[in-house]
Each structure stands twice: as C-alpha cells, then as structure tokens.
Amino acid sequence: MTYDPTGHLLLTPVDQEAPARVRRLRELGLGEQPDPAFDEFAHRLAEVTGAPFSMVNFIDENRQFFAGLHTPAGTHSGTDLGATAAGGGVGRFMARDHGYCPHVVVRRKALVLEDVCDYPRFAGNPVVDEIGIRSYMGAPLIDRTGVALGTICVVDTDVRPWGRAGLETIKAMAAELVEQIHRREDGRI
C-alpha cells in the first residue's frame, strides 16, 4: 500500500512511467482526440463481453482520456465522466484518481473485479458512489517499446461473473488493439 507524506492511504498508485507514456503517446498521435476506429473497437469489445460500457483509455499524469468509448445509449460527450453521470451523458475524460485503469497501467497486468465492493482498496474509488460502477475488467496496452500506453476496459453497474474466460478475452483483445496501433505506426514510416 502507498501512503502520502501525511500518512493517508493513496487509492491511486504512484505512476513512475507517466512521463515516458506521455512522450510515447505524443509520438503515436494518441490520447488527445476521439478516434472512430477506437470507438468501433470499444463497441466490439462491449459486444464480445456483454458489458454496457467499454473504453479504449489512454492515461497521462493527470487524467484519463477515452479515445474509444461505447455506452448503452451510444452517447458520449467531451466532458468529464463523473460530472456527466448524473446528467445522462458519458464523457471522454476522467480524473486519474477515478476508476481502476491507473492500477492496470502501473501493475502492467489485467485486473478483474467481479464486485468492486469485495475489495476495500477498490470499493472506495469515487466511481462507485458517483457513477455506480460495480464490476470492472481491464487489460494494459503495452506497446513494442515496453510502454503501457493505457488500457482497454469494460464496466457494469451490476456485479458480473467475468471469470477466467473474461480475463482471457480482455487480454486477447488488448493484444489485438496493440497490433492495430503498431500497424498505424508502421504505416506512417
């Protein structure tokens, strides 16, 4: 567990790789604009997993950006996810200390939370109370340079038994998206 200088538990892990990630995202031209190909990927991810929400998420030092986003209503705006949850829309940005993707990026391995309330470290995350997230499954997007660019993830407002099959699916789809990112990069050379 990580503590700040005052001795309080930090729910979001310290991310030493953030500066390298930001440089790599800039090289790739990712993390600043919504991308229709990533929206389509998020839609397919939702279909494959049966999740109502799915994202392609790139993370910098301060925020998360959903370059690909699928919601049940198919709506997304350019505003903050937490601020728009009560208002109906789901936005493209979320604070870095909200959600579980920052944990996946720092751990560099998939994370499955069938019921986030079963885990005290994760149950206290703001997305539980503000948005009503009850289950999460995500995998890191680690590129050929070894940088964890972000994640793909699915979330639900209900408890979900993702199981081993879900874990294998999210990991395989993350590898597929990394290959798509590599093909884009190779096409620019």
Side-chain angles (χ1 to χ4, degrees), residues 74-153:
T75 59
H76 20 52
S77 65
T79 58
D80 174 72
L81 180 62
T84 61
V90 175
R92 296 275 182 175
F93 300 96
M94 189 162 65
R96 192 181 170 284
D97 63 350
H98 284 51
Y100 310 105
C101 289
H103 294 270
V104 171
V105 166
V106 170
R107 290 168 27 123
R108 300 174 64 84
K109 56 192 247 190
L111 176 64
V112 176
L113 302 170
E114 294 181 345
D115 183 348
V116 298
C117 295
D118 286 345
Y119 304 88
R121 179 181 187 118
F122 298 118
N125 196 284
V127 297
V128 175
D129 292 331
E130 294 175 15
I131 303 171
I133 300 302
R134 284 298 301 271
S135 61
Y136 168 92
M137 182 169 58
L141 299 170
I142 300 174
D143 82 342
R144 66 178 94 185
T145 68
V147 173
L149 302 172
T151 68
I152 60 169
C153 70

Side-chain angles (χ1 to χ4, degrees), residues 42 46 49 51-55 69-72 90 133 153-157:
T49 62
F53 298 91
S54 61
M55 297 93 172
L69 178 62
H70 171 82
T71 67
V90 175
I133 300 302
C153 70
V154 293
V155 296
D156 201 333
T157 56

Side-chain angles (χ1 to χ4, degrees), residues 157-178:
T157 56
D158 293 321
V159 173
R160 292 288 299 265
W162 304 110
R164 166 98 29 225
L167 175 64
E168 294 306 319
T169 297
I170 198 88
K171 288 166 56 175
M173 292 199 71
E176 179 184 325
L177 186 59
V178 167

